[in-house]
């Protein structure tokens, strides 16, 4: 089977933020989609080893910042290639608390605030279903995962659902 065909699926890049007690935690993800239009429900995918998933299971409220082509590219690596268990990912970027969820500062195509309503186990990952609470308009062109790989020359971390030894080995 040629799994490189999966590289053609469309994805975006997002920064997930959640409060873990008094401290903001977060990560970079590439999987988010809208499930319903009436009382919108969205779904995101997080690796089971991800500390941000632990925080969302405790807190339920989280944010999703849509990375733009105009965003500071370093935010992707900072939030994607280390763990909030050991690193304060917001140290270099800061954040605003909005509706109880941290929004990393910077240029983003938009922001969403969501409440987790269900967690679906999928072997190595968990799909989080969440109800949309509020939105914040942003600016810029949403960055696709294809743009991230082709133009930015970015790699996927091992915990990403799209990680491939063929494409992402560093």
């Amino acid at each position: 089977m040629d799994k490189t065909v999966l590289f053609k699926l469309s994805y975006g890049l997002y920064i997930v933020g959640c409060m873990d007690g008094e401290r903001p935690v977060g990560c970079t993800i590439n999987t988010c989609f809208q499930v319903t239009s009436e009382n919108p429900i969205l779904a995101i995918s997080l690796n089971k080893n991800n500390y941000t998933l632990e925080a969302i299971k405790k807190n339920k409220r989280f944010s999703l910042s849509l990375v733009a082509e105009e965003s500071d590219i370093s935010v992707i690596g900072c939030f994607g290639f280390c763990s909030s268990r050991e690193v304060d990912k917001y140290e270099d970027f800061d954040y605003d608390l909005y509706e109880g969820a941290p929004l990393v500062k910077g240029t983003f195509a938009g922001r969403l605030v969501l409440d987790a309503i269900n967690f679906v186990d999928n072997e190595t990952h968990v799909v989080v279903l969440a109800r949309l609470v509020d939105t914040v308009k942003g600016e810029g062109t949403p960055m696709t995962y294809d743009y991230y790989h082709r133009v930015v020359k970015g790699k996927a971390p091992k915990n990403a659902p799209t990680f491939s030894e063929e494409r992402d080995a560093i």
Side-chain angles (χ1 to χ4, degrees), residues 3-4 15 21-22 39 58 64 78 94 98 104 114 116 131 140 155 169-170:
K3 290 186 179 179
T4 62
I15 304 298
E22 298 297 314
N39 297 317
K58 285 188 244 172
L64 199 66
C78 176
D94 205 6
Y98 183 81
V104 63
L114 304 119
R131 182 159 321 278
K155 303 289 185 190
I170 297 176

Side-chain angles (χ1 to χ4, degrees), residues 34-91:
Q34 186 174 339
V35 178
T36 67
S37 60
E38 196 67 32
N39 297 317
I41 294 174
L42 287 87
I44 64 170
S45 178
L46 294 166
N47 189 287
K48 286 183 178 179
N49 296 326
N50 195 299
Y51 188 71
T52 304
L53 175 61
E54 290 179 32
I56 292 172
K57 284 182 174 180
K58 285 188 244 172
N59 187 11
K60 305 292 189 262
R61 172 83 31 112
F62 66 96
S63 66
L64 199 66
S65 297
L66 290 68
V67 177
E69 291 176 6
E70 298 81 7
S71 294
D72 179 346
I73 296 304
S74 67
V75 76
I76 298 168
C78 176
F79 279 77
F81 290 93
C82 56
S83 173
S84 288
R85 280 184 184 91
E86 292 92 31
V87 176
D88 177 0
K89 296 183 181 185
Y90 291 84
E91 183 176 36

Side-chain angles (χ1 to χ4, degrees), residues 1-147:
M1 175 174 14
D2 183 1
K3 290 186 179 179
T4 62
V5 174
L6 294 173
F7 299 167
K8 302 295 182 185
L9 291 174
S10 297
Y11 297 94
L13 281 170
Y14 313 92
I15 304 298
V16 177
C18 186
M19 294 303 290
D20 180 20
E22 298 297 314
R23 167 177 99 97
V25 298
C27 65
T28 302
I29 66 169
N30 68 346
T31 307
C32 174
F33 61 94
Q34 186 174 339
V35 178
T36 67
S37 60
E38 196 67 32
N39 297 317
I41 294 174
L42 287 87
I44 64 170
S45 178
L46 294 166
N47 189 287
K48 286 183 178 179
N49 296 326
N50 195 299
Y51 188 71
T52 304
L53 175 61
E54 290 179 32
I56 292 172
K57 284 182 174 180
K58 285 188 244 172
N59 187 11
K60 305 292 189 262
R61 172 83 31 112
F62 66 96
S63 66
L64 199 66
S65 297
L66 290 68
V67 177
E69 291 176 6
E70 298 81 7
S71 294
D72 179 346
I73 296 304
S74 67
V75 76
I76 298 168
C78 176
F79 279 77
F81 290 93
C82 56
S83 173
S84 288
R85 280 184 184 91
E86 292 92 31
V87 176
D88 177 0
K89 296 183 181 185
Y90 291 84
E91 183 176 36
D92 293 335
F93 298 97
D94 205 6
Y95 69 97
D96 292 312
L97 200 59
Y98 183 81
E99 299 285 336
L103 299 178
V104 63
K105 288 190 176 183
T107 300
F108 291 91
R111 316 297 189 110
L112 308 174
V113 176
L114 304 119
D115 283 337
I117 58 173
N118 200 356
F119 299 87
V120 182
D121 186 284
N122 291 280
E123 297 175 1
T124 59
H125 288 69
V126 172
V127 172
V128 179
L129 296 168
R131 182 159 321 278
L132 184 64
V133 173
D134 204 353
T135 63
V136 178
K137 285 190 175 189
E139 54 190 49
T141 303
M143 183 183 291
T144 65
Y145 208 42
D146 178 62
Y147 180 95

